């Protein structure tokens, strides 16, 4: 496999540009914050997180997959009779389930929620919100992913495909773009759509703690965490975290400090 990081970066930039154009041409909801200001800070955070992973992680997902493959360890490597394509599909489905469960846990456990709520403190939701996560959450998530890759015996190709799907679907379902309602109705039976995920970013608590899926929508239906629409409708739903509703909170230094601040501290 030639340069998987460049492949991932190419897909990331491509989907970011396409979704950015889509939401500019057909916006779903009127924005409340300055778009350029948010984009510079959100994408600046993406660059900072990439640097943190490079400097602080001794191994990343793709290296873990090569390790599992070279040593033939993990669940999927114990079944040599299963075709590689089927193993890839099984791996993507199991990893997507794991991401759903991880997302649920980060909402349920208070100390983890303090990290994850930075993702929710964006006061608008658009394509850049899909990559807006605290670096500590990113590092914890990487260790969880590495453990799953080795335990399941996920191949390097499968992890590359999964990471491309995960990044692309996160940008797609965070996009502030209009999807025809009939298409949304049918599409969300399989994958998470922007309208489905926008509910998850509502300031209303029962909506914040629903619709945890990133790629496949089946997990929310299966585990009864699915909520079809926001209570106030998509035009009026308020996005964000009540504790962090000033424009200053969108600045990268403020975002990085949010997990360590109480609701009323500045």
């Amino acid at each position: 496999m030639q340069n998987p990081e460049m492949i991932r970066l190419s897909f990331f930039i491509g989907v970011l540009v396409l979704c950015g154009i889509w939401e500019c041409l057909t916006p779903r909801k009127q924005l409340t914050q300055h778009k350029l200001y948010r984009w510079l800070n959100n994408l600046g955070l993406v660059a900072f997180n990439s640097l943190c992973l490079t400097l602080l992680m001794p191994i990343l997902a793709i290296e873990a997959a090569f390790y599992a493959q070279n040593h033939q360890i993990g669940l999927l490597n114990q079944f040599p009779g299963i075709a590689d394509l089927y193993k890839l599909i099984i791996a993507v489905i199991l990893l997507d389930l794991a991401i759903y469960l991880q997302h649920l846990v980060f909402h349920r456990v208070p100390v983890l929620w303090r990290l994850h709520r930075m993702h929710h403190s964006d006061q608008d939701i658009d394509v850049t919100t899909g990559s807006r996560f605290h670096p500590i959450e990113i590092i914890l998530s990487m260790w969880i992913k590495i453990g799953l890759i080795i335990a399941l015996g996920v191949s390097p190709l499968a992890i590359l495909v999964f990471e491309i799907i995960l990044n692309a679907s996160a940008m797609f379902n965070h996009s502030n773009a209009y999807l025809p309602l009939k298409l949304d109705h049918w599409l969300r039976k399989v994958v998470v759509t922007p309208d489905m995920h926008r509910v998850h970013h509502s300031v209303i608590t029962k909506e914040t703690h629903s619709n945890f899926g990133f790629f496949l929508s089946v997990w929310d239906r299966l585990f009864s965490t699915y909520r079809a629409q926001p209570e106030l409708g998509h035009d009026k739903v308020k996005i964000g975290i009540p504790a962090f509703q000033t424009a200053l909170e969108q600045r990268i230094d403020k975002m990085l400090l949010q997990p360590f601040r109480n609701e009323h501290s500045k």
Side-chain angles (χ1 to χ4, degrees):
M1 189 186 304
Q2 297 296 318
N3 204 339
E5 288 303 314
M6 185 56 66
I7 295 173
R8 287 180 66 252
L9 180 61
S10 298
F11 273 95
F12 173 82
I13 294 173
V15 175
L16 175 67
V17 170
L18 288 175
C19 288
I21 293 172
W22 179 31
E23 63 184 21
C24 284
L25 293 177
T26 57
R28 180 67 166 99
K29 186 178 180 348
Q30 185 175 357
L31 300 179
T32 64
Q33 307 291 313
H34 192 281
K35 190 177 184 72
L36 180 60
Y37 178 73
R38 286 182 51 261
W39 273 52
L40 287 174
N41 283 279
N42 285 353
L43 295 178
L45 184 63
V46 173
F48 181 75
N49 286 341
S50 297
L51 180 62
C52 287
L53 286 175
T54 300
L55 295 177
L56 300 177
M57 290 295 296
I59 183 175
L60 296 177
I62 196 72
E63 288 87 0
F66 275 113
Y67 178 85
Q69 178 179 266
N70 292 339
H71 293 80
Q72 286 298 290
I73 58 176
L75 180 63
L76 294 174
N77 285 320
Q78 308 314 308
F79 299 94
I82 300 178
D84 290 342
L85 176 60
Y86 294 140
K87 287 184 180 181
L88 186 151
I89 294 171
I90 293 169
V92 168
I93 292 173
L94 291 178
L95 287 171
D96 191 61
L97 171 59
I99 292 294
Y100 166 86
L101 294 173
Q102 177 188 321
H103 194 183
L104 185 67
V105 170
F106 270 72
H107 274 248
R108 296 287 190 259
V109 179
V111 67
L112 297 177
W113 169 245
R114 289 181 75 94
L115 292 172
H116 183 65
R117 70 182 181 181
M118 195 214 72
H119 173 68
H120 284 262
S121 68
D122 202 345
Q123 293 162 54
D124 286 315
I125 177 174
D126 68 13
V127 61
T128 64
T129 311
S131 301
R132 171 188 163 127
F133 293 94
H134 197 277
I136 298 178
E137 181 178 357
I138 291 288
I139 291 171
L140 286 175
S141 298
M142 182 58 71
W143 279 117
I144 293 169
K145 190 186 298 182
I146 287 169
L148 286 167
I149 289 167
I150 294 174
L152 293 173
V154 179
S155 71
L157 178 59
I159 195 60
L160 176 62
V161 170
F162 175 72
E163 290 197 329
I164 289 172
I165 290 174
L166 184 66
N167 288 335
S169 59
M171 287 188 282
F172 165 73
N173 60 46
H174 284 86
S175 295
N176 180 39
Y178 177 77
L179 196 64
L181 298 184
K182 286 187 178 180
L183 179 58
D184 174 87
H185 172 76
W186 290 106
L187 198 57
R188 70 164 61 192
K189 292 180 182 295
V190 181
V191 299
V192 179
T193 64
D195 274 12
M196 177 178 167
H197 194 72
R198 190 173 298 105
V199 179
H200 181 72
H201 282 261
S202 165
V203 297
I204 299 174
T205 302
K206 64 184 179 182
E207 295 180 352
T208 305
H209 302 305
S210 68
N211 294 6
F212 296 101
F214 267 82
F215 172 44
L216 298 175
S217 62
V218 63
W219 312 123
D220 282 300
R221 299 176 191 276
L222 185 62
F223 295 108
S224 301
T225 56
Y226 175 70
R227 187 173 294 273
Q229 303 294 339
E231 186 176 285
L232 300 178
H234 289 280
D235 292 332
K236 295 182 179 180
V237 61
K238 188 174 183 180
I239 302 299
I241 295 290
F244 304 114
Q245 284 291 314
T246 66
L248 190 62
E249 293 295 347
Q250 306 308 313
R251 207 173 67 192
I252 189 169
D253 61 324
K254 288 289 188 178
M255 287 193 279
L256 291 172
L257 291 173
Q258 281 176 9
F260 313 106
R261 291 157 49 206
N262 294 322
E263 289 192 1
H264 302 295
S265 62
K266 300 298 181 184

